[in-house]
Amino acid sequence: MKHRLVVLGAGYAGAYVAGTLARRLSPADTEITVVNAEPDFVQRLRLHQLAAGQEIEAPHLADVFGGTEIRLRLARVTAVDPERQVVAVADADGGGELGYDTLLYALGSHVADHSVPGVAEHAFDVTGRASALRLRERLDSLSRRDDGGSVLVVGDGLTGIETATEIAESRPGLSVTLVARGELGTQLAAGARGHLRRACDRLGITVREHTGVEAVEATRVLCADGTVLASDATVWTAGFAAVPIAAAGGLEVTDNGRIVVDRTMRSVSHPNVYAVGDSAYAIGDNGRPLPMSCASAGYTGRQATEAIVGRLCGRKIANTKLEYLGNHISLGRRDGILQMVDDEARAKPKYVGGRKAARIKAGIVKMSLWGTSHPTFGLPKRKLRLAAAPDPSVGKTVRPRENGAAAHG
């Protein structure tokens, strides 16, 4: 009987690992199934651009996995049962269950409302294609008004900054306000913070610092200091949480739902489950948790691939790099910030800004798309056979220590 590898999610991490495993493992011994709710690859890195009104490439997953012998199941994952080793899915035909021998969990993250009243009912977000298109439709309607409209972006992390600047540049007729809990750009060096402020001034963005939000209503936001801010479209970017399916299935997770993994991306509670990308709580080489980011998807994906191939084929498992080098922030299409960090995740004094940073960010996004769309490029053509009796429990499990906080961008 073939070893059943099931990959949940075909984002940056899931699509890459699935394609790589298909190239490296012999189909005589393994069958790989990818479960994804959408038929296309979603460039999450560019969803703020999609919301602002730009057209974003979305390759068909059937084309991405063409020639790899991967089975693509278009369905929504509803539950994971690691004790029975099955995944429940729902699709147009009603769904059912998929059994697995090894599971790769890459369902990513969604917006975290932090229990703030009204976020779920009234706020927009850019964590998925559907939600980005919903925001785009709202911005379209505001742009058609004679008096324009007001857009309030709550959260000054990387996603909030990119969303506010993209909307302001693409839709100059709208009034854009960015709400920051503390000082704007606290994660940046002093020079980069100044560059960010100048960009906001150039784009006409109003910045409200040291402002907490207590509630979101249909046409306004209530702040902790009693201030009421009018808003025709409130965009919530104040944090992310992992999809709750892992926690509901009994896997060991963090408070925000990320699966706790060892150095090889294997679940510390269920050894035949691996997690990558935003779904994984992984400790980087600097001793701190890797942030939720596209870069982390690449690093955790490569490590998980090495671990799965090594354990199934009886080979030595290589430790790949788990690094957090810095942040690449777009400020519209013609400006940006490249901020590198040290081993303590603190911003280094120097930064790159302006058009050069924008070109670097555009290049990174382009390479990420190309790499995901060509998951088997550059890999050896030799297919590896499985060991006689692969044991997913073999190997020491090391529990990562909690140290530091995650970020997104």
Side-chain angles (χ1 to χ4, degrees):
M1 183 176 179
K2 292 184 179 182
H3 190 91
R4 299 165 299 172
L5 278 157
V6 174
V7 178
L8 304 183
Y12 291 105
Y16 168 80
V17 175
T20 306
L21 290 175
R23 182 64 177 265
R24 296 185 65 180
L25 297 174
S26 171
D29 300 325
T30 58
E31 63 177 33
I32 301 174
T33 301
V34 174
V35 183
N36 201 63
E38 298 190 37
D40 303 323
F41 174 71
V42 176
Q43 293 193 71
R44 185 165 175 175
L45 279 175
R46 302 182 67 189
L47 286 179
H48 60 289
Q49 293 177 243
L50 181 67
Q54 300 164 34
E55 296 304 320
I56 303 302
E57 186 178 353
H60 297 304
L61 290 174
D63 297 332
V64 170
F65 297 135
T68 64
E69 301 187 59
I70 289 175
R71 301 179 180 184
L72 178 60
R73 178 72 180 271
L74 296 179
R76 180 173 55 87
V77 178
T78 58
V80 172
D81 187 339
E83 304 304 327
R84 295 173 52 224
Q85 295 186 198
V86 297
V87 176
V89 299
D91 57 20
D93 298 324
E97 289 187 339
L98 293 174
Y100 66 84
D101 299 303
T102 297
L103 181 71
L104 183 83
Y105 189 103
L107 290 177
S109 61
H110 61 100
V111 68
D113 60 18
H114 302 298
S115 300
V116 174
V119 172
E121 295 84 1
H122 303 298
F124 297 85
D125 67 81
V126 291
T127 59
R129 181 176 173 83
S131 58
L133 288 173
R134 176 172 164 263
L135 173 57
R136 177 174 175 162
E137 182 178 357
R138 177 58 174 163
L139 297 179
D140 285 343
S141 68
L142 294 179
S143 297
R144 289 192 292 267
R145 287 175 19 177
D146 293 336
D147 60 345
S150 59
V151 179
L152 197 67
V153 179
V154 180
D156 63 325
L158 307 186
T159 302
I161 291 170
E162 292 192 330
T163 301
T165 53
E166 201 73 51
I167 292 174
E169 181 181 88
S170 297
R171 299 173 182 268
L174 301 181
S175 172
V176 178
T177 299
L178 178 60
V179 177
R181 177 173 289 276
E183 180 184 357
L184 178 65
T186 54
Q187 70 272 51
L188 303 173
R193 287 199 300 272
H195 186 100
L196 173 58
R197 288 183 180 279
R198 290 190 294 273
C200 288
D201 290 342
R202 172 175 54 81
L203 294 169
I205 298 172
T206 301
V207 178
R208 294 189 61 93
E209 298 177 296
H210 308 289
T211 302
V213 172
E214 288 197 338
V216 176
E217 297 181 355
T219 58
R220 64 180 189 169
V221 166
L222 310 182
C223 301
D225 61 2
T227 304
V228 177
L229 302 176
S231 175
D232 295 307
T234 299
V235 188
W236 191 264
T237 66
F240 301 87
V243 174
I245 291 173
L251 288 151
E252 183 171 336
V253 300
T254 60
D255 290 342
N256 65 350
R258 302 171 80 183
I259 297 175
V260 182
V261 297
D262 65 13
R263 183 56 176 76
T264 67
M265 301 304 114
R266 184 170 61 168
S267 164
V268 299
S269 62
H270 294 82
N272 60 347
V273 176
Y274 294 78
V276 292
D278 287 359
S279 300
Y281 180 80
I283 302 301
D285 294 338
N286 63 356
R288 298 174 178 273
L290 291 175
M292 292 181 175
S293 68
C294 178
S296 296
Y299 287 123
T300 57
R302 283 190 287 274
Q303 182 59 80
T305 301
E306 291 295 332
I308 292 171
V309 171
R311 290 194 173 101
L312 293 184
C313 301
R315 298 162 67 92
K316 181 179 179 179
I317 299 173
N319 277 352
T320 63
K321 291 181 179 180
L322 297 177
E323 297 179 308
Y324 171 41
L325 299 177
N327 298 312
H328 308 85
I329 311 168
S330 64
L331 304 174
R333 295 299 86 212
R334 297 178 294 278
D335 194 4
I337 294 172
L338 169 56
Q339 176 69 73
M340 307 305 287
V341 301
D342 61 19
D343 289 342
E344 298 299 318
R346 296 172 302 197
K348 294 182 177 180
K350 293 183 178 180
Y351 78 100
V352 177
R355 288 183 178 271
K356 182 177 180 180
R359 288 195 295 269
I360 293 173
K361 176 62 182 285
I364 290 171
V365 171
K366 186 175 181 178
M367 287 189 297
S368 297
L369 175 62
W370 195 93
T372 304
S373 302
H374 302 79
T376 64
F377 178 79
L379 293 176
K381 295 182 179 180
R382 176 171 172 260
K383 301 278 190 175
L384 299 176
R385 299 300 299 269
L386 267 59
D391 184 356
S393 66
V394 171
K396 183 179 180 181
T397 295
V398 179
R399 292 174 179 268
R401 59 187 177 88
E402 295 203 16
N403 181 15
H408 204 287

